Amino acid sequence: MAEEKQKPYDTGLKPAGEILCAKCGVALTLHPVTLGYMSSTFPVELPACPKCGFIYIPEELAIGRMLHVERSLEDK
């Protein structure tokens, strides 16, 4: 059985050109990232530094959708 490729979860984030990496001073751009929690993985696109790979997770995403998904997985 062929492994089915997961479609990236839409975080609703726009291209992150306005946010600069604190270490490199380079504008962050959206990159595919795989998040993992409790043996589950989720492909998403998040702002990341193209130079050092730093990934930025906005507070509203962390305490919004990500927290909701974490609680849903913990309730299973």
Side-chain angles (χ1 to χ4, degrees):
M1 182 172 172
E3 185 173 320
E4 191 172 316
K5 186 175 180 179
Q6 286 183 298
K7 180 179 176 185
Y9 179 77
D10 181 14
T11 59
L13 296 174
K14 304 295 181 217
E18 319 154 354
I19 303 171
L20 300 178
C21 176
K23 179 180 175 185
C24 305
V26 177
L28 304 185
T29 57
L30 289 178
H31 285 268
V33 175
T34 301
L35 300 176
Y37 188 74
M38 294 182 67
S39 303
S40 296
T41 58
F42 308 93
V44 298
E45 287 191 336
L46 291 173
C49 175
K51 188 172 179 182
C52 71
F54 171 81
I55 297 170
Y56 173 70
I57 299 176
E59 182 178 0
E60 61 270 9
L61 180 62
I63 62 173
R65 290 180 176 182
M66 291 177 81
L67 182 60
H68 175 75
V69 170
E70 286 176 3
R71 288 183 177 158
S72 296
L73 290 171
E74 291 169 358
D75 289 343
K76 285 186 177 179

